[in-house]
Amino acid sequence: MFKICPNCGAHNTATAKFCTRCGTSLAGVVATAETAVQSAQPTSENEASTANTAAVSEQSSVPSSLTSSSAQNQPVTPQQAQSQVTPPDNSQQQVPPQPAGTRTQSQQTAQGPAPTAQPYQQADQTQQQAQTPPEEPNPTVEATKKYAGSYWRYLVDSIKHPATVTRPYHQYFGLTSLAITIVSLALTIALMTGSAVSSLPGAIASNVLMTFLKLVFLVAVLMIAVVAVYYLVVNGMLGDRRRSFLTFTTEYAFHCNWMVFFSVFTLLMQMLGMINIGSIFLIWLLLSLGSGLFVISGTYMLFTAQSTNRFDKIYAYLIVGILLVIVFLIIMTFGLSSILGGIGQGINDFGRSFNF
């Protein structure tokens, strides 16, 4: 019985744990008594010398007891016959059959390295590319798309049933509606006055533009102040503390979101050049309806509030009116003084340009 090394094909004793030629572990190799298929003679002197060395090492591994018993013509026991290994002939070395497609160490040395399997590499690269996860979308863009879609649903719901808020909405939707309204009206006025300002000298045009920006800022402050007055009365005097200021603004704008469509419509008419003497009446009508809805929305929010301190809503409405007058006077005093000063300066510059 002997063990055949799976790496180099050398014959080893049945009890050997490592190959005597290459040192490969023989722990999982089963001992066999069959003779291996004889292979072709070594093609080089190096292989022949390697086979001789293996044969000498195998001869030296035979137990001395078997050698002495054979010399004295003594009978050999079956155990001794199995452990005895006959060294192979130097001219015809027995090599175990190797799997197809494998090469011995000498053949690899003589023939050089195996060619690179480019098709397999390309397949691996393709597989790696397929396993690469797709690029994640930009979270800012996705959040903006989601916000725009939700805001559009908010507008549609407010147009269908402006008096009934059926679901909670994002707290910034109200400020978004006010911003769209103010910017649309500002752009409409800017386009209407742009042609006239372009024919004026540079200093006068700059003065008119600055006055226009002040007017837009004044309108924005006035709208926010109106919402704030209604919130303070509803939250403080009536005791309805269900909503924060941003949530209150969102519901306030929900009742008057028609003004968003009116302002955008007037801007589109101006951009398409459809504003003339006949359409000015329509524009002023739309602006009046938008302003009326804005005022009515505050009154509706006041009378639909849940009063917890039994304060009469009629008195609360009167207090709102007084506060709005005070706020309007304060804003107009500081804002209009600056605007009127700019207009006066523009008139003076215009007069000087004509040597008046």
Side-chain angles (χ1 to χ4, degrees):
M1 298 291 289
F2 56 88
K3 291 183 178 180
I4 300 175
C5 178
N7 184 34
C8 63
H11 291 67
N12 300 272
T13 59
T15 59
K17 296 182 179 180
F18 298 94
C19 179
T20 58
R21 179 185 298 178
C22 62
T24 303
S25 175
L26 304 177
V29 179
V30 181
T32 180
E34 298 179 359
T35 58
V37 180
Q38 296 183 354
S39 62
Q41 295 183 356
T43 56
S44 62
E45 294 180 359
N46 293 332
E47 292 182 351
S49 60
T50 303
N52 292 333
T53 305
V56 173
S57 61
E58 289 175 357
Q59 288 179 1
S60 61
S61 62
V62 178
S64 58
S65 60
L66 293 179
T67 305
S68 59
S69 62
S70 300
Q72 297 176 3
N73 295 327
Q74 293 179 0
V76 181
T77 61
Q79 292 79 4
Q80 293 177 349
Q82 292 180 357
S83 61
Q84 184 177 4
V85 179
T86 303
D89 190 4
N90 293 337
S91 61
Q92 296 181 353
Q93 182 183 4
Q94 295 180 356
V95 180
Q98 297 182 358
T102 59
R103 298 184 299 172
T104 61
Q105 184 177 3
S106 61
Q107 292 175 350
Q108 294 179 359
T109 304
Q111 297 180 5
T116 305
Q118 296 182 356
Y120 294 99
Q121 293 180 355
Q122 294 178 356
D124 293 340
Q125 294 177 358
T126 304
Q127 185 177 4
Q128 292 177 359
Q129 293 177 357
Q131 294 178 355
T132 303
E135 296 182 359
E136 296 183 357
N138 192 338
T140 304
V141 176
E142 294 298 324
T144 303
K145 292 181 179 178
K146 184 178 180 180
Y147 183 88
S150 301
Y151 178 73
W152 176 253
R153 185 176 60 182
Y154 166 76
L155 287 178
V156 173
D157 292 343
S158 65
I159 297 302
K160 291 181 178 179
H161 303 284
T164 306
V165 181
T166 58
R167 68 182 72 181
Y169 297 99
H170 198 282
Q171 61 180 354
Y172 292 112
F173 283 174
L175 294 179
T176 303
S177 296
L178 297 180
I180 293 175
T181 302
I182 295 171
V183 171
S184 299
L185 294 176
L187 291 177
T188 302
I189 299 174
L191 292 176
M192 292 175 64
T193 58
S195 58
V197 172
S198 62
S199 60
L200 297 176
I204 299 176
S206 177
N207 196 347
V208 172
L209 178 61
M210 186 60 63
T211 303
F212 167 74
L213 293 177
K214 291 179 180 179
L215 181 61
V216 172
F217 178 76
L218 185 64
V219 173
V221 172
L222 183 60
M223 295 180 69
I224 297 297
V226 171
V227 178
V229 167
Y230 276 104
Y231 174 74
L232 290 176
V233 172
V234 171
N235 186 275
M237 295 184 178
L238 299 181
D240 187 358
R241 297 180 176 84
R242 296 174 300 167
R243 298 169 293 243
S244 63
F245 176 72
L246 293 177
T247 306
F248 183 87
T249 305
T250 298
E251 294 188 8
Y252 191 107
F254 184 90
H255 303 307
C256 58
N257 267 336
W258 269 110
M259 64 181 184
V260 177
F261 291 94
F262 293 159
S263 60
V264 173
F265 178 74
T266 56
L267 177 60
L268 292 177
M269 290 182 63
Q270 179 62 44
M271 293 176 64
L272 297 176
M274 299 174 59
I275 293 181
N276 48 35
I277 298 176
S279 61
I280 290 178
F281 176 76
L282 176 62
I283 292 176
W284 281 109
L285 177 61
L286 295 178
L287 294 178
S288 301
L289 289 176
S291 302
L293 284 174
F294 185 75
V295 176
I296 293 173
S297 298
T299 306
Y300 181 80
M301 293 285 291
L302 177 66
F303 283 97
T304 56
Q306 295 181 1
S307 179
T308 59
N309 52 12
R310 297 182 181 180
F311 191 84
D312 195 275
K313 294 181 180 180
I314 296 294
Y315 294 133
Y317 183 71
L318 293 176
I319 293 175
V320 166
I322 296 173
L323 292 177
L324 288 179
V325 171
I326 295 174
V327 169
F328 183 80
L329 291 176
I330 293 174
I331 293 176
M332 290 298 113
T333 301
F334 292 97
L336 284 181
S337 61
S338 178
I339 293 174
L340 292 176
I343 293 175
Q345 184 65 32
I347 294 174
N348 292 332
D349 294 338
F350 184 75
R352 290 193 191 99
S353 62
F354 289 95
N355 296 323
F356 286 167

